[in-house]
Amino acid sequence: QSTLFKAVNETEGARIIHERINSMERNIRQIQLFGKTFYNLYQDNREKFLIQMSDLTQQDMDKNLIDKLLQLKANEESLHTYILDKLKDEKNKLTQEDLNAFDKLTKQAKVLLDEAEKRVIEESDLLSVTAKKVNKQLIYLAVISIILALILALFFVRLITRPINDIARAIKTLGDEGFERSISIRGP
């Protein structure tokens, strides 16, 4: 259950990273069209991206996912540096090729998200299998408990009714043979 919870957290983090990259790409496209007025939005989204990356890498995650996160972060840092250099020089405008570099980041984030979602499915399947095993065990325990309860009930009924049956036989014997014979009655 805790591994499923962890996998869900990883998936949510990967989804947020994917959304941040999309927002950063949108902001860069806005910068290309309208100028540097959208640069602060880009920086805000990048800051949120970096915070989410930091949060995710500090979690106890699958090593494969951590490696992909670190690769994504390295690629984003190099792209960010490249974009900053282009934006510093007023003569250089961002080209379509520059903007397409975000496609690589988006694809990496999508792969990360897909793997995290796959892990959630695997963990939920494992939890489902475990729940089915526990359910079977509970059914077996219930059947065994019912059988044991019936055996114990029969034993106690026999234990309680034996002295009563002995008294009934003794009274019948008294009626048939008289009062000369002694009666022995044993209790539980």
Side-chain angles (χ1 to χ4, degrees):
Q1 195 174 20
S2 64
T3 55
L4 177 62
F5 182 71
K6 189 168 51 169
V8 168
N9 281 340
E10 291 170 2
T11 302
E12 185 59 28
R15 183 171 286 114
I16 291 170
I17 285 173
H18 188 261
E19 290 171 2
R20 289 292 160 220
I21 289 174
N22 286 335
S23 296
M24 290 162 46
E25 179 181 9
R26 185 175 51 251
N27 295 144
I28 289 297
R29 290 183 188 279
Q30 290 168 335
I31 290 170
Q32 181 192 29
L33 294 174
F34 304 112
K36 293 183 181 179
T37 56
F38 287 93
Y39 182 73
N40 288 337
L41 280 173
Y42 168 77
Q43 283 297 94
D44 289 343
N45 280 315
R46 183 171 190 270
E47 186 65 33
K48 291 175 184 175
F49 167 80
L50 293 174
I51 290 170
Q52 186 63 39
M53 289 292 281
S54 176
D55 289 348
L56 272 178
T57 54
Q58 290 176 5
Q59 293 180 9
D60 182 27
M61 290 177 51
D62 181 55
K63 184 176 177 352
N64 185 32
L65 287 176
I66 289 177
D67 291 343
K68 289 186 182 201
L69 272 174
L70 294 176
Q71 183 63 43
L72 178 65
K73 185 176 180 183
N75 290 342
E76 188 279 332
E77 285 176 3
S78 65
L79 179 60
H80 177 70
T81 303
Y82 176 77
I83 288 172
L84 282 181
D85 289 343
K86 276 253 185 156
L87 291 177
K88 283 180 185 175
D89 187 4
E90 293 291 329
K91 295 177 187 175
N92 285 335
K93 291 279 186 179
L94 293 172
T95 64
Q96 188 61 38
E97 187 177 309
D98 297 336
L99 297 175
N100 290 341
F102 273 97
D103 290 342
K104 181 179 177 184
L105 290 180
T106 302
K107 286 177 184 174
Q108 281 183 297
K110 181 67 175 146
V111 167
L112 186 71
L113 178 60
D114 290 345
E115 285 190 20
E117 287 175 345
K118 181 181 170 187
R119 189 156 176 243
V120 167
I121 291 169
E122 289 171 355
E123 292 297 331
S124 64
D125 288 346
L126 278 173
L127 192 60
S128 177
V129 167
T130 303
K132 287 178 183 177
K133 285 180 183 178
V134 168
N135 193 20
K136 275 185 177 179
Q137 289 175 347
L138 286 174
I139 290 171
Y140 290 144
L141 286 174
V143 169
I144 290 171
S145 296
I146 289 170
I147 291 171
L148 285 175
L150 288 173
I151 291 171
L152 284 174
L154 289 174
F155 174 74
F156 283 118
V157 165
R158 175 84 173 130
L159 191 65
I160 291 170
T161 59
R162 189 176 55 201
I164 295 171
N165 289 338
D166 288 347
I167 291 173
R169 270 194 301 273
I171 291 174
K172 188 175 181 187
T173 303
L174 280 175
D176 292 341
E177 297 178 12
F179 292 105
E180 288 93 30
R181 188 160 184 232
S182 66
I183 300 172
S184 73
I185 298 174
R186 291 173 285 134

